[in-house]
Amino acid sequence: MRHVIYPGTFDPITNGHLDIIERATTLFDLVTIGVTTNPAKNPLFSVAERVTIIGDVTHHFSNVRVEGFSGLLVDYAQRLGACAIIRGLRAISDFEYEFQMALVNRKISDGIVTVFLMPHEKYTYLNSTIVKEVAMFGGDVSRFVPPTVEAQLKKKIAERQ
Ligand code: ADP
């Protein structure tokens, strides 16, 4: 069975992430979305909240599962018996960092392959930070995220004010 991990912060998951997940489901038998703690990014949602939201917006995929993880990505991949890591490439600006990460992961563990997928062009400008900024200023994010995410963003922002 070809099992792949799609790791990330997903704070929150966007239509760009979902585009990548959908592509991955056609290439692999099982896709595990690994939600990282990443305190450096000062996330708006807790890992548990992100896992719940992602589970909600991916339940129509029969071969997708989601969970939180911490520690080294390659260790996590080995624990799960995954053969590859998926990363999304939006633009040239993503390339340098992603290339470095992929090479470091390959140095640590030779057996794990990083696969880069490109989203539809309409999502290349999209990231979670932009979505949060627009939402915090009361802007409409309905084109960027599924309705569940939009509702959770509104709720979380209202709680914080
Ligand atoms: P990380 O903290 O790992 O960068 P993100 O949630 O920002 O977490 O992104 C997870 C992965 O999804 C990364 O590979 C990133 O390049 C990719 N990604 C983020 N936004 C998009 C998008 N709009 N289109 C395609 N890939 C994306």
Side-chain angles (χ1 to χ4, degrees), residues 76-159:
Y76 175 56
Q78 265 161 5
R79 252 190 342 264
L80 290 190
C83 61
I85 295 165
I86 291 278
R87 295 292 288 175
L89 267 193
R90 278 162 293 192
I92 308 295
S93 54
D94 276 338
F95 181 78
E96 203 171 324
Y97 173 74
E98 293 293 346
F99 188 68
Q100 187 183 22
M101 283 297 297
L103 288 180
V104 168
N105 285 336
R106 198 157 72 183
K107 279 266 176 264
I108 303 172
S109 172
D110 221 6
I112 194 100
V113 175
T114 303
V115 176
F116 294 106
L117 295 177
M118 285 185 298
H120 190 284
E121 307 85 81
K122 67 184 177 195
Y123 298 131
T124 49
Y125 64 90
L126 196 54
N127 66 40
S128 302
T129 304
I130 297 281
V131 169
K132 280 183 284 190
E133 274 172 15
V134 172
M136 273 171 194
F137 289 110
D140 177 11
V141 294
S142 60
R143 275 165 303 164
F144 309 142
V145 295
T148 311
V149 178
E150 189 186 0
Q152 291 300 323
L153 266 169
K154 281 193 181 140
K155 193 169 153 233
K156 179 65 84 178
I157 290 165
E159 277 167 16

Side-chain angles (χ1 to χ4, degrees), residues 6-10 16-17 20 38 41 87-88 90 98 119 123 126:
Y6 181 33
T9 313
F10 305 105
H17 293 125
I20 297 294
N38 207 347
K41 281 202 172 181
R87 295 292 288 175
R90 278 162 293 192
E98 293 293 346
Y123 298 131
L126 196 54

